Amino acid sequence: MPDPLHVPASILVYVGLDAVGDGLIKLPFVRALRSAFPKARITWVAGKGHTVFADTLGPLVRGLLDEVIDEADIGSHPMELLSRPLSGRSFDLIIDTQRRGLTTLILRRIRHRRFISATAGYLFSDIRPRERTRPASMIGQLMQLAEAAAGCPVEANFPLPRDPAIEAEAERLLPAGPRYVGLAPGAGGRWKCWPLERYIALAAGLRDAVPVFLLGPAEAEDWAATIRAALPHALLPLQQASQLTPMLTIALGRRLAAAVTNDSGTGHMLGAADIPLVSLFGPTPANKFAPLTRRAAILRAQDFGGEAMEAIPREAVEKALSQLLL
């Protein structure tokens, strides 16, 4: 538990910017902060660009963040060292999530009681983590900052908000009763995708479970007809949804017994659903981009003698999935 003498009432978290992928990766950090400091007022500041927590992913952080300051224009100009950013506001705790020295020095100009930053090996930080080795993953680095703030290990277990209308839509698309297994064959680039025919073969081999393919609009255009022809009993709920949102994908994820995914935004949405997850990696490093979830199996092409996603054998994915379904 955090030291009761130093529990902050107000926290500022500084980021440069957040694209959708960044925001999804950072969700466990936001959840861990709120879990560690349930009564604090948490302000999220995007100093050098736009944060999707101000719009696209805003519904996912409702109740976790109290304030989002978008495109604040803080942390880039040396002349800021002569002023007090944020109009002289003060915070009990500032968490600097970036590592550029000038930006860190500018942030220290904001009035605060304690300051945490990994810049220059925590040289400018009032608090340092017990383990100073830099984690490979972005989320690992952020969780290290959260643990330094709390003074103890933290968990990303604060529940995400649920919209009753979206939960009802998820129930309509995946009604209670069957056991569902999710399959997310898409990614930001096809070179990150395990072959679609292997996803189809994996789905065809499922026993006592209904395959659920989660396809984005572009993937559906290319793949939906192929999947429906090969697997008439498979469900494609996002293609039946009234509106596509990350919250709906997460709500659908909660209705799955487990899922298989590439390195993708959908993978991080399913990680946010806290379900057992098989994550497949090839050209991108798993130790940097793997979703954070309670039960996971990470399969890398390199473990099977290759670099491309095709190196991952179907049998290995089947085995990992069956173990998670036990």
Side-chain angles (χ1 to χ4, degrees):
M1 295 294 293
D3 182 347
L5 296 178
H6 297 99
V7 173
S10 58
I11 300 172
L12 181 148
V13 178
Y14 178 91
V15 300
L17 54 81
D18 300 313
V20 172
D22 301 321
L24 291 170
I25 290 173
K26 292 174 184 178
L27 267 181
F29 169 64
V30 177
R31 296 174 70 184
L33 268 187
R34 178 52 73 198
S35 182
F37 304 108
K39 297 182 180 180
R41 177 177 173 80
I42 301 178
T43 298
W44 191 271
V45 175
K48 300 181 181 181
H50 173 61
T51 173
V52 289
F53 290 153
D55 45 39
T56 306
L57 299 187
L60 286 175
V61 294
R62 189 174 297 126
L64 283 77
L65 300 178
D66 299 284
E67 179 184 18
V68 176
I69 301 177
D70 195 23
E71 301 187 55
D73 192 23
I74 294 172
S76 298
H77 312 293
M79 290 300 293
E80 294 177 72
L81 293 169
L82 304 179
S83 63
R84 295 283 187 187
L86 289 181
S87 304
R89 289 178 61 178
S90 63
F91 299 85
D92 290 335
L93 173 65
I94 295 175
I95 300 177
D96 172 18
T97 69
Q98 59 84 60
R99 293 171 180 264
R100 183 173 179 241
L102 174 62
T103 302
T104 298
L105 291 173
I106 292 169
L107 293 177
R108 283 191 63 88
R109 293 289 298 159
I110 299 173
R111 290 187 173 89
H112 62 274
R113 292 186 177 181
R114 295 196 297 172
F115 186 88
I116 299 177
S117 174
T119 297
Y122 289 87
L123 177 65
F124 304 102
S125 188
D126 300 323
I127 309 168
R128 295 167 176 80
R130 298 173 186 176
E131 176 55 61
R132 300 280 288 280
T133 302
R134 180 178 177 178
S137 68
M138 177 192 295
I139 188 55
Q141 295 166 27
L142 291 170
M143 295 296 279
Q144 187 178 62
L145 292 172
E147 291 185 359
C152 62
V154 297
E155 292 188 15
N157 57 7
F158 195 88
L160 292 174
R162 299 194 185 193
D163 183 302
I166 290 176
E167 296 299 316
E169 174 77 341
E171 184 175 8
R172 179 184 72 83
L173 295 167
L174 297 181
R179 190 187 202 196
Y180 298 111
V181 170
L183 302 155
R190 293 295 165 89
W191 50 277
K192 297 167 64 176
C193 295
W194 197 49
L196 178 63
E197 61 269 21
R198 297 191 194 175
Y199 271 103
I200 290 174
L202 181 68
L206 290 174
R207 297 292 179 264
D208 302 318
V210 177
V212 175
F213 281 82
L214 299 171
L215 304 179
E219 298 152 5
E221 183 176 345
D222 294 340
W223 292 342
T226 300
I227 294 168
R228 289 188 174 113
L231 302 163
H233 66 296
L235 300 179
L236 283 70
L238 293 177
Q239 280 56 66
Q240 309 300 320
S242 56
Q243 184 178 7
L244 299 183
T245 67
M247 286 193 75
L248 176 60
T249 301
I250 293 171
L252 290 169
R254 295 190 191 102
R255 307 184 74 81
L256 304 174
V260 181
T261 176
N262 305 313
D263 174 21
S264 65
T266 302
H268 286 283
M269 292 179 209
L270 294 175
D274 296 322
I275 62 170
L277 198 61
V278 180
S279 293
L280 309 180
F281 284 83
T284 53
N287 63 352
K288 185 174 182 179
F289 295 114
L292 183 65
T293 192
R294 295 178 187 177
R295 292 183 64 205
I298 309 297
L299 301 184
R300 307 181 311 143
Q302 293 80 1
D303 296 331
F304 302 97
E307 294 292 329
M309 295 292 283
E310 290 81 359
I312 303 174
R314 191 188 79 207
E315 295 76 12
V317 181
E318 289 176 340
K319 181 179 179 180
L321 179 59
S322 64
Q323 289 174 342
L324 290 178
L325 287 170
L326 290 177

